[in-house]
Amino acid sequence: MATNNTECIGKSIYKLLINNLSQVVCVCANRESMLIGEEQGKPVVMNKQGDDSLCVVVNIDGRIDGVCYSSSLDQRYPSTRSTFREVIDGCGRCLIPGLIDGHTHPVWTGERVNEFSEMLQGHRWKDILAEGRGIHATVQATREATEEDLLNALLQRLKGMLHYGTTTIEAKSGYGLNAESELKQLRILESAKSLQPITISSTFHGAHAIPPGMRENEFVADVINTQLPAIKLAMEDGSIQVDNIDVYCEKGLFSAKSAWEILLTGHRFGLHMNFHGDVFSPMRAAELSEEVGARAVSHLGEISHTGIQAMSRNKVIAVLLPSTKYLLKLRAAPARELIDEGVPVALGSDFSPNMHCCSMPIIMHMACVLLNMTLEEALVASTINAAASINLSRSHGSIETGKQADFLIIDAPRWEHIVYQFGGSEMLIVQVIKSGNVVLDRTCSNIIYSK
């Protein structure tokens, strides 16, 4: 509902009022940076009281101004002193935070459907990689592609993620394996930040695989002495903003020693350490995370008990990827033990040429079925804890005053339906709201998609 300047004289102007909600899933209530242990299973949920529904107000800067019951709305925001630029009738629906995907590989071109067929026949992912295919096939195609083509492909993938309720992602490079191509991918991520609504936390992942014909020590030296300095220069001249550094710590790829060297070099350049570890083999990656002071480790199907204790002591976030466990038939990450031992758990889709999943609701469902997480734990893992894994939990991941107004309006009597309704949950998402702006709207005959 727009207002003219005359109506606004002497009034506080708010961007958005969402009223008539039956449920608001705040997740947190005390500005927690993450939820750990038993608390991960206890997200804060506000429910309608009789006829007294819930309201959420967004300020002009796109941040949450308040959550209240309709009975107190006029007292907190009297019509004589308050004007709302837009009002959305929640129609008795639920409001949850926008979903956060803690692990994606979205910048690439080419396809590897033949490898999927081979894996169904028993071929292993690591054997395909050793033959120079897998990641290496995508590297070749991505190096040859134009930035325009890669950007257009990325934008389509981000649009798909938005349709499933994702409003923030961690996004890696890693299909270049040299300074020129890694920078190309990071520039594309930078361009995408201003062309669509999803928040992107960029990760330099030059140490994704070792190029054919190079030894591990030679390529580690290239990452440290050539690629990282090039990234640093691009950051200093303002052409890119990179937040994290990733290394694939795995047998046949990068040893714990190599990962240690690359991660700490990236850390000296101001990057948060957020890496692949203990995927196919027990590499003591979790223990390494304590040694280097990492923020997060992904996969962790082969984590040891001592590794779990190390991550718990330092509150290193475990980013679990149930879709990859499902596709590659890997050992499941021990989500129950991680949570019970006090390790904060987040979730990611692992969207990549190998795993075409852009739906965090599907990932949450798989986490419940395959990793024995509860619905509540899965939601926390896809909101505040995923935000913490990319250092964004101060501003994202929960519905609290002062945080960015990223919401999903769910057409269901309870928020749990977004996880429960496997495969069709996107149809429950009536509206996606980013910084107080409606960026996807299924209440209209045409879906809105805008910045």
Side-chain angles (χ1 to χ4, degrees), residues 331-387:
R331 187 194 306 272
R336 284 264 49 87
E337 187 178 358
L338 287 162
I339 292 171
D340 293 344
E341 291 288 337
V343 177
V345 169
L347 290 171
S349 68
D350 201 14
F351 181 89
S352 67
N354 198 47
M355 170 46 64
H356 285 252
C357 180
C358 58
S359 169
M360 284 306 293
I362 286 179
I363 295 300
M364 289 190 284
H365 184 102
M366 295 177 80
C368 295
V369 174
L370 300 178
L371 306 183
N372 297 316
M373 293 174 68
T374 67
L375 282 84
E376 292 82 2
E377 289 166 346
L379 179 70
V380 167
S382 304
T383 53
I384 191 66
N385 284 8

Side-chain angles (χ1 to χ4, degrees), residues 107 142-143 147 150 172-191 202-206 226-242:
V107 187
T142 303
R143 285 179 176 179
E147 291 197 25
L150 289 170
K172 306 176 191 296
S173 63
Y175 294 113
L177 306 186
N178 62 34
E180 179 185 0
S181 294
E182 291 294 316
L183 279 169
K184 178 169 75 170
Q185 291 168 78
L186 292 167
R187 284 195 303 270
I188 289 162
L189 286 170
E190 199 65 33
S191 296
S202 297
T203 298
F204 167 60
H205 193 19
T226 303
Q227 294 187 41
L228 271 167
I231 301 300
K232 183 173 183 287
L233 284 174
M235 290 174 64
E236 288 174 345
D237 70 22
S239 58
I240 59 173
Q241 173 60 48
V242 184

Side-chain angles (χ1 to χ4, degrees), residues 408-424:
L408 309 182
I409 297 179
I410 306 301
D411 189 14
R414 297 171 52 178
W415 71 264
E416 291 93 337
H417 282 263
I418 194 71
V419 182
Y420 161 63
Q421 294 195 25
F422 181 73

Side-chain angles (χ1 to χ4, degrees), residues 114-125 128 327-329 354:
N114 58 313
E115 294 175 14
F116 176 60
S117 178
E118 290 177 35
M119 287 189 287
L120 293 176
Q121 299 172 47
H123 291 247
R124 298 189 308 165
W125 179 89
I128 292 170
L327 175 69
L328 301 182
K329 302 178 182 178
N354 198 47

Side-chain angles (χ1 to χ4, degrees), residues 108-116 134 137-138 141 157 353-354 356:
W108 47 270
T109 192
E111 54 87 13
R112 285 160 38 192
V113 67
N114 58 313
E115 294 175 14
F116 176 60
T138 303
R157 292 164 189 153
N354 198 47
H356 285 252

Side-chain angles (χ1 to χ4, degrees), residues 38 59 73 145 162 262 315 328 346 416:
E38 289 185 2
N59 69 25
L73 181 67
L162 190 77
I262 293 169
K315 301 300 177 265
L328 301 182
E416 291 93 337

Side-chain angles (χ1 to χ4, degrees), residues 52-113:
D52 199 3
S53 61
L54 291 153
C55 305
V56 176
V57 174
V58 178
N59 69 25
I60 204 68
D61 296 322
R63 298 193 174 272
I64 300 162
D65 194 81
V67 182
C68 65
Y69 285 94
S70 57
S71 59
S72 62
L73 181 67
D74 287 341
Q75 181 181 354
R76 292 186 60 174
Y77 302 96
S79 58
T80 55
R81 298 202 305 268
S82 306
T83 295
F84 302 104
R85 286 188 170 176
E86 185 175 3
V87 177
I88 294 176
D89 184 351
C91 298
R93 296 171 173 134
C94 305
L95 190 78
I96 70 171
L99 301 176
I100 299 175
D101 190 336
H103 185 120
T104 77
H105 303 256
V107 187
W108 47 270
T109 192
E111 54 87 13
R112 285 160 38 192
V113 67

